[in-house]
Amino acid sequence: EARTVHHLCDMAGIPAGEGADSRIDARVFLVVRALLDLRTDMVRVASWHVPAPLPDSTGHDVCRECGGDWPCNTRAIADGTYTGE
């Protein structure tokens, strides 16, 4: 199990340091902190990409930030709902 955790930390970009940085608990803490920072960034990005109705009142919305169809890919990525289609 420890080898798997170290491998997952390597995949997450948390290098195995020396001393305390090589301990599993320290590396997992860094992974969790990076994940929380990423979530904070995604919430901030999502707040920029909001729907804006077109002036012709067709009921079709566009993204206020990038001008693409709503929901835009950036918002979908930030929300975790992007499917790549």
Side-chain angles (χ1 to χ4, degrees), residues 6 8-17 21 26-28 30-32 34:
H6 279 295
L8 291 173
C9 288
D10 291 340
M11 290 176 54
I14 305 298
D21 288 342
R27 293 184 76 200
V28 169
L30 293 174
V31 169
V32 170

Side-chain angles (χ1 to χ4, degrees), residues 1-8 24 27:
E1 291 176 358
R3 183 182 299 171
T4 301
V5 172
H6 279 295
H7 181 67
L8 291 173
I24 289 175
R27 293 184 76 200

Side-chain angles (χ1 to χ4, degrees), residues 48-68:
W48 299 336
H49 292 265
V50 295
L54 289 175
D56 61 6
S57 300
T58 61
H60 180 77
D61 293 338
V62 296
C63 176
R64 186 176 306 252
E65 180 70 18
C66 62

